[in-house]
Amino acid sequence: MTVNPPGTAAGAGARLVPSPDWAREVERESAQPVSLCYQCQKCSGGCPLAFAMDVLPHRLIRYVQLGQKERVWQSRTVWLCAACRTCAARCPNGIDIAAVADVLKQQAMRRGLVAPEPSVQAFHQTFLSSLRSRGRMHELTMLLRFKLKAGFKGSELSQDLRLGLAMLRHGKLRLLPEGVRRTREIQALFARAQEGKSHGAV
Ligand code: SF4
Ligand code: SF4
């Protein structure tokens, strides 16, 4: 009889072997009680982005419980979650799926997996690197870096430029970046988070 190794997706004729170790890892990193999910589906019922997701939020949590890493890391849901936290407000056990999705994103990136939503991944990486370098977002730099990473599309370029100029005129974008006073502390926080993850990295 074929038995799929822990952490791999079960194919036709394969048995599903739950892998609780990974679920514990996700619980620790996200500080969310994933094991308490009992599939009531209230999260999916209220999620405003459920229509675009390939794996509904309650199912994502179930896959985590079962250690189905590939299904989870390859799902668009992890990248589409908008962190609105409607699920957390509705969940009888207070599970914040946005926090779980965040951890899953980081895990996928640490393994060098290509996200099914590359532009969301590019935005996520640019946002974090902007925050790490100055302790505060500078939208203009971040947007330029994001566009360089995600790739300029000819038709969007003139539209982006028009929008950018209009925002500058209305004072919605700052030309020069500002930082916070103790950026080193922010950078130390990032380093500590990275170090903590690499100790229990999956
Ligand atoms: S609302 Fe909470 S308990 Fe219910 S399925 Fe979603 S995560 Fe699980
Ligand atoms: S935080 Fe994410 S999963 Fe939860 S309701 Fe919002 S979009 Fe859906």
Side-chain angles (χ1 to χ4, degrees):
M1 187 178 296
T2 316
V3 178
N4 62 309
T8 64
R15 292 171 74 192
L16 181 80
V17 182
S19 162
D21 290 353
W22 181 53
R24 278 198 284 271
E25 185 70 38
V26 174
E27 278 202 332
R28 190 180 60 76
E29 281 191 27
S30 65
Q32 295 305 310
V34 169
S35 57
L36 295 186
C37 172
Y38 61 99
Q39 296 292 288
C40 69
Q41 304 190 21
K42 282 191 166 189
C43 48
S44 300
C47 175
L49 284 169
F51 73 94
M53 292 174 172
D54 51 355
V55 175
L56 288 175
H58 73 282
R59 200 170 277 257
L60 187 83
I61 296 297
R62 188 68 182 132
Y63 283 154
V64 173
Q65 289 176 333
L66 293 173
Q68 296 291 291
K69 295 178 184 173
E70 276 70 20
R71 284 190 186 190
V72 167
W73 286 331
Q74 286 162 14
S75 77
R76 299 175 65 214
T77 300
V78 167
W79 297 96
L80 290 179
C81 171
C84 67
R85 297 201 154 80
T86 307
C87 51
R90 291 173 66 103
C91 176
N93 285 332
I95 301 169
D96 181 352
I97 297 178
V100 176
D102 224 26
V103 164
L104 299 171
K105 277 191 206 94
Q106 298 300 335
Q107 289 187 349
M109 287 197 297
R110 286 207 297 272
R111 291 173 65 94
L113 299 176
V114 178
E117 294 292 333
S119 58
V120 182
Q121 183 177 23
F123 188 85
H124 183 73
Q125 288 170 323
T126 324
F127 176 84
L128 286 183
S129 90
S130 174
L131 209 57
R132 184 167 33 217
S133 63
R134 295 191 170 271
R136 178 179 284 181
M137 285 283 311
H138 179 236
E139 290 85 355
L140 196 55
T141 319
M142 201 205 91
L143 285 173
L144 285 172
R145 281 200 193 139
F146 166 66
K147 284 288 173 186
L148 285 172
K149 218 179 217 311
F152 281 98
K153 292 188 189 121
S155 56
E156 286 174 10
L157 186 58
S158 56
Q159 198 182 337
D160 288 346
L161 277 173
R162 270 201 308 276
L163 183 64
L165 286 171
M167 288 176 78
L168 274 172
R169 265 201 309 275
H170 289 93
K172 301 289 182 196
L173 282 180
R174 284 177 194 275
L175 263 183
L176 297 175
E178 283 181 6
V180 297
R181 258 181 292 163
R182 295 187 290 195
T183 31
R184 286 200 177 175
E185 287 180 22
I186 306 270
Q187 285 156 0
L189 279 176
F190 271 94
R192 241 176 39 220
Q194 198 54 47
E195 194 187 329
K197 281 172 186 168
S198 64
H199 286 155
V202 218

